[in-house]
Amino acid sequence: MTLLDHPISEPPPRAPRAPALVRRTPQLRHERALLREGARLLAGMDEVGRGSLAGPVTVGVVVVDARTRACPRGVADSKLLTAAARTALLPALSRWGAARAVGHATAAEIDEVGIIAALRLAGRRALLSVAREVGPVDAVLLDGSHDWLTPPAQGELFGAVELPGADVIGAPRVHLRVKADLTCASVAAASVLAKCERDGIMTAMAADHPEYGWESNKGYSSADHIRALREHGPSPLHRRSWRLPLGLDATE
């Protein structure tokens, strides 16, 4: 029998490859559509620190106009970037857009007025900063489905909150877009600025309160942070109005 007489077996079929995960680059498509509708200045805004147990809540804002070009390469939702990648973007982001700023509301303010009103305070402080540079924005683009920036018509739940710069900021129209931090360049850039600044604040605060490990957990409910809370109790920089996991039976 020759080699030609042997049946030739075909190799087993290969399993299909899983599709590669492609990170979508944020664009200015949605911002430009709003600018074409009549806005002269549009502010993309995003917040960080809402779910933290300690430290401020922080809001970043990046203002764009009709002359703004594509965002710097590498910009993405801050949660998708490493700390080093976020920091590396700061020089380019400091030159991109018409204006940019970051606003904060402290843990004490969160305790006094609640987290939503504190977000509003932080956001208004950021808008006031850019308004002093380029004038009031005409529209705001927020990530998510909840407008935390506009004061409620029925008043604040925790009483009157003095909003800074009402005469300067005006009442820009707020547009909501779910996952705007993934798709809208101005919002993604704002998230990077806010995350970098808040992380820096928490790292600096950690020097005075080393037991909580804020330089690594940034005030969020990591296992080490919770253990420290149970051992040492809350610091003045914790959100004491929150249900902090202090007891041994607390849920982590």
Side-chain angles (χ1 to χ4, degrees), residues 96-209:
W96 184 69
R100 62 222 58 82
V102 177
H104 311 277
T106 66
E109 288 174 323
I110 294 170
D111 287 340
E112 180 181 356
V113 301
I115 186 62
I116 299 302
L119 277 169
R120 191 171 300 121
L121 279 173
R124 301 278 295 194
R125 286 165 177 162
L127 284 176
L128 180 58
S129 180
V130 296
R132 287 169 173 162
E133 184 177 349
V134 297
V137 302
D138 305 296
V140 169
L141 181 56
L142 284 186
D143 176 44
S145 58
H146 174 230
D147 178 4
W148 43 260
L149 184 66
T150 304
Q154 71 276 17
E156 301 286 356
L157 179 63
F158 290 86
V161 177
E162 184 178 352
L163 296 175
D167 56 333
V168 178
I169 297 171
R173 184 176 179 183
V174 175
H175 300 266
L176 303 175
R177 189 170 179 85
V178 176
K179 302 297 183 184
D181 51 0
L182 296 175
T183 59
C184 299
S186 64
V187 179
S191 77
V192 173
L193 294 178
K195 176 67 173 166
C196 286
E197 188 155 325
R198 186 181 184 278
D199 281 2
I201 290 172
M202 296 307 299
T203 299
M205 288 177 171
D208 295 327
H209 302 275

Side-chain angles (χ1 to χ4, degrees), residues 25-119:
T25 302
Q27 306 290 331
L28 284 172
R29 188 176 298 111
H30 194 62
E31 290 93 327
R32 285 172 176 153
L34 294 173
L35 290 167
R36 285 194 298 269
E37 291 176 5
R40 183 182 65 91
L41 294 172
L42 180 138
M45 301 180 71
D46 201 18
E47 53 82 14
V48 296
R50 183 191 298 215
S52 178
L53 303 179
V57 67
T58 299
V59 175
V61 57
V62 173
V63 178
V64 298
D65 59 18
R67 299 169 297 176
T68 303
R69 297 186 177 183
C71 67
R73 185 175 182 179
V75 169
D77 173 18
S78 63
K79 296 185 290 295
L80 301 179
L81 301 174
T82 65
R86 291 191 295 265
T87 301
L89 285 168
L90 290 179
L93 288 180
S94 69
R95 301 185 297 270
W96 184 69
R100 62 222 58 82
V102 177
H104 311 277
T106 66
E109 288 174 323
I110 294 170
D111 287 340
E112 180 181 356
V113 301
I115 186 62
I116 299 302
L119 277 169

